[in-house]
Amino acid sequence: MADIPRGHIEMTMEGVRSLYEKAPVMLHSIDGQGRLLSVNALWREVLGYDLAEVLGRHLGEFMTEASRAALAETLPLFLRDGLLTDKAYRMVARDGRELDVLLSAVGEYDAAGRFVRSLAAIKDVTENRRAEAALATSDALFRMAFENANEGLSIVDTKGRFLRVNEALCRFFGYDEATLLSLTVNDLAASEDGAVSPRFLSLALAGVREHFRFEKRYRHASGSEIWGRVSARLVRDAAGDPLYFICHVLDVTESRRTAEQLSLHANTLEALLLLGRMREADFPELGAFVLSRAVALTASQGGLVALAESDAGPFAVLAALPGTRSALGLATGSATFEAAASATLAAVCQTLRPAMIEAPARQLVVPVRDESKSLLLLVVTDKAAAYGTDDVRRLELLGEGLLGHAKERRREQDLTRARRQAEAASQAKSGFLANMSHEIRTPLSGIIGLAQMTLTQNPRPEIRENLELVLDSSRSLLAIVNDILDFSKIEAGKMEFLPVDFDLRDTLDRTMKPFQFSARQKGLVLIIRVEPQVPGRVHGDPDRIMQVVRNLVGNALKFTEQGEVEVALSLARPGDPMLVACSVRDTGIGIPDDRQHELFQVFSQLESTRTKRFGGTGLGLAISRRLVEMMGGSIDVESVAGQGSTFTFTVSLRPATEGPQEALPRAEAAAGGFSGLRVLLAEDNQVNRLFLKHFLAEAGCQVRLAGSGLQVLEQLCREPADLVLMDIQMPEMDGAEATRRIRDGEAGEAARGMPVVALTAYSMKGDRERFLSAGLDDYVSKPVDVDELFMVMRRVLDRPGEQIRPAAPTAPPMDMAYYEARGKSAFAREICRMFLDESPLVAANLEKAVQAENWEAAGDAAHTLLGMAVPLRARVLTEEARRLQEAGLTGDADGCRDACRIVTDELDRVQAAIRALLKEAR
């Protein structure tokens, strides 16, 4: 199918602009700062300005000082509520005249609820104000103003009988004065509920609200319907008894019609937007949608939509309302037809021009053709009034949208396929990295562990030296693997940051301890300097910050043969957030000026020959630059060849949220507290089993072994344990599944709340959340550092409570008090009913998507549910639906399943709350 012809769209927008420009009311639009985006001709004519003098200026510039201040107070409220009715201001014309105006406006918001623009109408009430002032100063002036006012004025008793009316009111209703005085206000109402709400009258007579305003539909003497904006105030006598109402009636019939036209245009645009979103719909569904909107927008009773591949037909009926086929002379129930079967349709197909027919039945037939010669016929029938050119244009727009939809949908399908392929490639890469991490880290964990274990057994000096070389080589290999994985995670957008409160000085000191030994071996001096202005405790990710420090210090020691290496911390910028600077200075070989630009590039090394003196992958500085930038800082270097280099980086940190805390016990101290602790070690790798069991036994633990998740469950059923160290990847049943079953009680009630710590070689972003969501209390990365393992064990054993599990939502299902406080309880109940009607279908689509493991569809269902939950102010459901949507977009299967369970439970809670609310409302 072809694209929508540009000319039709431009003519449509031109029509909207023309309607706006020629509107018989002063119209303007402002943005969120109050700047004028547009004004129509009457606005410029009344105030005497040219268009160029107005656009971009603040609305307050055209007001008196007092009104400007009032506008400044009102604007934030309007941006929040999106509605302003008859707000009085005083505007200043170009020639200095001051005009009293009433400003009414509505706001437009995007799908995220952000303010876009307003549409405002201004009524010049300068004369009204002057008349009111005259009424207040003299009875004679009152009578004169009353009789000669341009708007309708009346005095009405408490029973609704007219006591006095002016000429303008007589003109408004089309009756003479004597006739009006013989009627009541309810006699003139166009609807059955009367001219005035009984509630308004009761409130006024009770003294609660004696001044009220409303707009009402009335019946003119000619029989036509008219609209009046009524402002009424109750007058009491000296004793406080009600006497009568003074009423002001403003004819807003034309403004109502203008608003209806604008609303009709807005509904047309909305229909086109909705049509564009129907990406997966087939032609019958599109035809039914277009027909329903065509009938509604033209105020018709019948209609038909048919499509032919060429001008000659045959036509396939996409949608039709009962009786339309017979009105066109077509066979009842026919799914296809030839244009020649109907004289009306045959003439339209021959001329390709719209046809408006009045007899024997009122019909409008609009043909729409695209570049491929496909022809669409849109027919509407049985409108109360005659069809006009606006009806033709609306049908043309709908038809063009339908014909253009197929081509657009094919383009979107191509893009979706390309995106899915890219996502599949990204997921394959992430899976490869995760597997590579596991496959390399697991044997490395065994090598490092066994070397450490053997070193504790006081081997002979030559064996100790060999073991230390093995340990050093293993750690070097681990550093290379970590660099490759870190760079891949950064490239894939999966680098994870875990900000916490930490002691910056203590962290730096512990990071530098291993380097002190290396410096002494080379005869270098390692200096650490921290300026006093640097806060003791800060909030950030200490691991990532120290990773950069280790990279820079390691390079400095590697490229320095004599002299010193200095690490300095300083406060580059105080505040919240603060900017902390770290510099690493050395007296090494330095870097030539023409090579400095290569330093932070991937795989870049100053030595590129095969006989390199210095090792490395060329990734350290590239990773450091990415990490620093992701932490809101930058990195730079100053160097002179042969004299040394200074690398400086900054990171953005926040002040610590909590006060100083006691340091966690070192492993040596913590280990002594494990005497008699029953530990179940689930590990399928024999080497890792050996060294972990060794260190745990040395710490006083009673260790049992399991090689799979099933064995863990079997052993816990036979004999309880105090702690489980759970390898994630094991045969038969992995650690995550075993933990879920423990939490579900399959290993006995006593084991439900038992601490479970993951031992994992996985290190990609999202792994931590996946482990914790499965019920694990904490995790230790492989290769396992024994000190870290003991600290994590101490941490989970010291936690209060039986079982660390996600707490059930405690927030209320939804916040209806927000609407009640604003007098919108009826609106709140209506959106509740809509949610109750529509949410089961969304829930069913979500369940179907999860069962089919269609995570993209799950994300789409979550997006729909998110849009429905926001108006309810259902905070928990909104947050969980957003989390489910994000998991669906990233293809996170485990995340989708977990989020779906929570969303389903919260949806049940919201639906139950709505049913209770609606039951109370009855």
Side-chain angles (χ1 to χ4, degrees):
M1 300 296 177
D3 287 321
I4 301 173
R6 184 177 180 85
H8 289 310
I9 295 179
E10 293 175 347
M11 289 175 64
T12 301
M13 297 309 298
E14 184 63 28
V16 174
R17 286 193 292 269
S18 175
L19 178 63
Y20 177 86
E21 180 70 7
K22 297 177 181 179
V25 292
M26 296 170 65
L27 299 176
H28 71 247
S29 177
I30 63 171
D31 63 14
Q33 284 72 45
R35 296 187 296 264
L36 286 162
L37 301 174
S38 64
V39 296
N40 71 345
L42 185 60
W43 197 101
R44 302 193 300 272
E45 177 183 346
V46 172
L47 295 178
Y49 290 97
D50 294 331
L51 185 62
E53 298 176 287
V54 174
L55 295 184
R57 293 174 63 183
H58 196 280
L59 177 60
E61 295 180 40
F62 302 91
M63 293 182 176
T64 62
E65 184 175 354
S67 291
R68 193 176 306 129
L71 178 65
E73 294 179 1
T74 305
L75 185 58
L77 301 177
F78 171 66
L79 296 178
R80 182 193 67 189
D81 298 332
L83 181 65
L84 193 66
T85 304
D86 288 345
K87 181 67 177 178
Y89 295 105
R90 182 174 284 266
M91 301 189 73
V92 181
R94 185 172 186 175
D95 58 5
R97 290 179 295 110
E98 294 187 358
L99 291 77
D100 289 308
V101 300
L102 292 177
L103 189 148
S104 298
V106 293
E108 179 185 348
Y109 300 82
D110 61 17
R114 292 185 293 269
F115 183 85
V116 177
R117 64 179 65 85
S118 76
L119 176 63
I122 293 177
K123 175 67 176 179
D124 183 1
V125 294
T126 306
E127 295 301 325
N128 297 357
R129 297 292 188 235
R130 292 173 182 170
E132 290 172 2
L135 283 170
T137 57
S138 167
D139 287 341
L141 290 176
F142 171 80
R143 286 192 296 271
M144 182 177 64
F146 185 90
E147 295 300 334
N148 298 293
N150 291 327
E151 289 80 26
L153 295 174
S154 64
I155 298 176
V156 181
D157 68 11
T158 56
K159 301 297 185 181
R161 293 186 295 266
F162 287 107
L163 302 178
R164 187 170 182 178
V165 296
N166 70 346
E167 181 62 29
L169 192 67
C170 293
R171 291 196 303 270
F172 175 73
F173 286 113
Y175 294 103
D176 57 30
E177 181 178 357
T179 304
L180 271 184
L181 292 177
S182 66
L183 300 173
T184 68
V185 292
N186 285 332
D187 293 333
L188 301 169
S191 58
E192 296 179 356
D193 56 354
V196 183
S197 168
R199 178 172 172 270
F200 282 163
L201 291 176
S202 61
L203 290 175
L205 295 175
V208 177
R209 181 181 173 189
E210 297 187 345
H211 181 210
F212 47 88
R213 293 180 178 179
F214 56 88
E215 288 190 3
K216 201 73 176 179
R217 190 159 44 97
Y218 296 97
R219 184 72 61 186
H220 191 268
S222 63
S224 63
E225 291 185 348
I226 52 177
W227 281 89
R229 181 178 298 142
V230 180
S231 176
R233 181 181 295 276
L234 180 65
V235 177
R236 296 179 180 273
D237 59 17
D241 295 327
L243 288 177
Y244 49 77
F245 290 94
I246 297 179
C247 301
H248 172 270
V249 181
L250 180 65
D251 186 356
V252 294
T253 305
E254 288 303 319
S255 63
R256 274 278 185 167
R257 289 172 182 167
T258 301
E260 289 173 359
Q261 286 295 315
L262 291 174
S263 175
L264 204 54
H265 285 303
N267 290 338
T268 304
L269 293 175
E270 180 188 11
L272 294 174
L273 289 173
L274 292 174
L275 180 60
R277 294 172 183 167
M278 297 173 68
R279 298 182 180 92
E280 304 300 327
D282 53 20
F283 270 108
E285 185 177 350
L286 291 171
F289 173 81
V290 168
L291 178 59
S292 65
R293 293 308 172 101
V295 169
L297 292 171
T298 58
S300 301
Q301 299 300 317
L304 176 144
V305 178
L307 178 66
E309 296 299 325
S310 65
D311 299 349
F315 287 87
V317 178
L318 303 183
L321 292 176
T324 305
R325 289 184 179 88
S326 58
L328 293 170
L330 303 175
T332 302
S334 59
T336 61
F337 63 86
E338 298 288 343
S342 168
T344 299
L345 300 182
V348 169
C349 292
Q350 184 175 2
T351 62
L352 294 180
R353 293 180 179 177
M356 301 182 192
I357 302 168
E358 292 295 322
R362 185 167 285 151
Q363 301 172 357
L364 171 62
V365 183
V366 176
V368 183
R369 189 174 67 170
D370 63 11
E371 296 173 357
S372 65
K373 303 298 183 181
S374 294
L375 182 61
L376 184 72
L377 292 179
L378 291 95
V379 183
V380 288
T381 64
D382 302 326
K383 182 177 181 178
Y387 289 105
T389 55
D390 285 345
D391 297 321
V392 173
R393 292 300 302 134
R394 292 186 180 94
L395 295 188
E396 286 176 342
L397 281 173
L398 290 171
E400 290 162 0
L402 192 153
L403 288 179
H405 198 282
K407 182 177 180 179
E408 184 66 24
R409 187 170 60 195
R410 285 195 297 271
R411 183 185 297 113
E412 290 181 357
Q413 289 172 344
D414 292 340
L415 292 174
T416 299
R417 280 194 296 270
R419 177 173 60 83
R420 287 176 177 170
Q421 291 172 355
E423 289 174 350
S426 176
Q427 290 176 3
K429 178 181 178 183
S430 298
F432 168 75
L433 290 173
N435 289 331
M436 187 177 77
S437 169
H438 183 274
E439 295 302 325
I440 296 178
R441 286 171 182 267
T442 297
L444 270 178
S445 178
I447 294 170
I448 294 173
L450 285 175
Q452 289 175 329
M453 184 183 77
T454 309
L455 284 171
T456 64
Q457 298 172 352
N458 298 318
R460 297 195 306 272
E462 64 274 17
I463 295 178
R464 173 177 292 278
E465 183 179 357
N466 291 340
L467 287 172
E468 288 176 346
L469 288 173
V470 170
L471 201 56
D472 185 59
S473 298
S474 299
R475 285 169 175 163
S476 297
L477 177 58
L478 180 61
I480 293 172
V481 172
N482 286 339
D483 280 350
I484 295 172
L485 290 175
D486 281 346
F487 180 75
S488 298
K489 284 188 282 186
I490 291 173
E491 289 293 295
K494 294 180 177 292
M495 177 55 74
E496 187 175 33
F497 289 85
L498 298 174
V500 296
D501 290 350
F502 68 99
D503 189 308
L504 189 55
R505 289 173 173 80
D506 179 65
T507 304
L508 180 63
D509 181 62
R510 285 188 282 107
T511 302
M512 289 298 102
K513 280 185 178 180
F515 292 110
Q516 295 284 4
F517 176 74
S518 301
R520 286 195 299 271
Q521 281 187 321
K522 296 188 69 172
L524 302 176
V525 177
L526 181 57
I527 304 169
I528 302 173
R529 180 169 53 84
V530 181
E531 293 186 358
Q533 294 85 355
V534 177
R537 288 180 62 77
V538 294
H539 186 79
D541 190 329
D543 294 334
R544 297 305 178 190
I545 296 172
M546 291 303 119
Q547 181 178 349
V548 178
V549 173
R550 283 192 296 270
N551 269 331
L552 298 182
V553 175
N555 283 343
L557 292 173
K558 181 166 58 175
F559 293 107
T560 303
E561 297 297 336
Q562 58 183 359
E564 64 185 26
V565 173
E566 181 188 65
V567 181
L569 284 181
S570 60
L571 187 63
R573 185 191 69 212
D576 183 6
M578 69 187 80
L579 200 65
V580 175
C582 177
S583 64
V584 178
R585 179 183 59 84
D586 65 61
T587 57
I589 62 175
I591 306 164
D593 291 342
D594 60 343
R595 302 295 303 277
Q596 292 183 15
H597 68 281
E598 302 175 12
L599 286 176
F600 301 105
Q601 296 179 7
V602 181
F603 308 117
S604 174
Q605 293 177 292
L606 295 184
E607 283 189 308
S608 57
T609 63
R610 294 184 180 180
T611 57
K612 296 193 299 181
R613 289 185 300 158
F614 310 105
T617 61
L619 284 174
L621 289 178
I623 292 172
S624 296
R625 178 174 67 86
R626 300 286 186 90
L627 290 176
V628 165
E629 290 174 349
M630 293 169 77
M631 289 186 288
S634 61
I635 189 169
D636 201 0
V637 61
E638 294 180 2
S639 183
V640 177
Q643 298 182 24
S645 307
T646 300
F647 285 82
T648 303
F649 73 90
T650 59
V651 291
S652 178
L653 300 174
R654 305 196 67 180
T657 57
E658 301 177 358
Q661 299 176 350
E662 294 183 6
L664 288 173
R666 298 298 297 163
E668 295 80 6
F674 295 138
S675 178
L677 183 71
R678 297 171 298 176
V679 176
L680 177 58
L681 173 60
E683 171 64 68
D684 65 321
N685 185 280
Q686 294 292 338
V687 177
N688 287 333
R689 277 193 191 191
L690 180 63
F691 89 86
L692 285 172
K693 181 179 179 181
H694 169 80
F695 283 109
L696 289 168
E698 275 197 345
C701 299
Q702 300 175 10
V703 184
R704 288 184 290 139
L705 300 175
S708 70
L710 285 176
Q711 292 181 18
V712 170
L713 296 177
E714 291 171 358
Q715 292 206 34
L716 289 176
C717 288
R718 291 197 302 267
E719 184 179 352
D722 300 316
L723 174 72
V724 176
L725 297 178
M726 183 80 76
D727 185 23
I728 292 300
Q729 187 172 31
M730 292 185 293
E732 295 182 348
M733 181 188 296
D734 64 22
E737 179 62 24
T739 304
R740 288 193 187 95
R741 296 196 178 190
I742 291 172
R743 299 307 187 208
D744 289 340
E746 293 188 24
E749 289 299 318
R752 273 181 180 268
M754 176 183 53
V756 182
V757 175
L759 302 178
T760 174
Y762 291 107
S763 62
M764 298 300 288
K765 181 179 180 181
D767 288 338
R768 177 179 183 274
E769 289 76 6
R770 182 161 57 89
F771 300 150
L772 298 182
S773 68
L776 290 151
D777 297 287
D778 214 322
Y779 77 104
V780 177
S781 296
K782 293 181 180 179
V784 175
D785 182 279
V786 177
D787 287 347
E788 180 187 1
L789 174 62
F790 286 157
M791 283 192 291
V792 171
M793 289 171 60
R794 173 63 59 198
R795 186 162 64 230
V796 299
L797 290 169
D798 287 345
R799 286 178 183 168
E802 290 295 322
Q803 181 180 349
I804 309 301
R805 295 182 64 80
T810 56
M814 55 189 183
D815 180 15
M816 291 293 102
Y818 172 86
Y819 294 107
E820 293 172 0
R822 290 160 176 78
K824 297 182 179 180
S825 299
F827 173 74
R829 289 193 295 272
E830 184 61 29
I831 62 175
C832 284
R833 291 189 187 94
M834 293 174 62
F835 184 90
L836 206 56
D837 291 340
E838 299 175 9
S839 57
L841 178 59
V842 180
N845 292 337
L846 178 58
E847 182 180 2
K848 187 186 302 180
V850 173
Q851 289 176 350
E853 297 187 351
N854 186 345
W855 310 126
E856 183 179 10
D860 291 341
H863 175 75
T864 302
L865 188 60
L866 178 63
M868 296 166 60
V870 169
L872 287 179
R873 302 181 67 81
R875 300 186 186 279
V876 176
L877 182 59
T878 299
E879 293 169 2
E880 295 301 333
R882 184 177 288 111
R883 187 165 72 89
L884 176 56
Q885 180 186 13
E886 292 172 355
L889 290 174
T890 58
D892 181 359
D894 291 331
C896 277
R897 292 189 185 96
D898 293 337
C900 182
R901 283 194 291 269
I902 299 175
V903 166
T904 302
D905 292 343
E906 187 60 23
L907 180 58
D908 292 341
R909 210 162 68 102
V910 171
Q911 289 173 336
I914 290 176
R915 294 187 186 99
L917 176 69
L918 297 180
K919 185 177 181 180
E920 291 178 4
R922 295 196 191 103

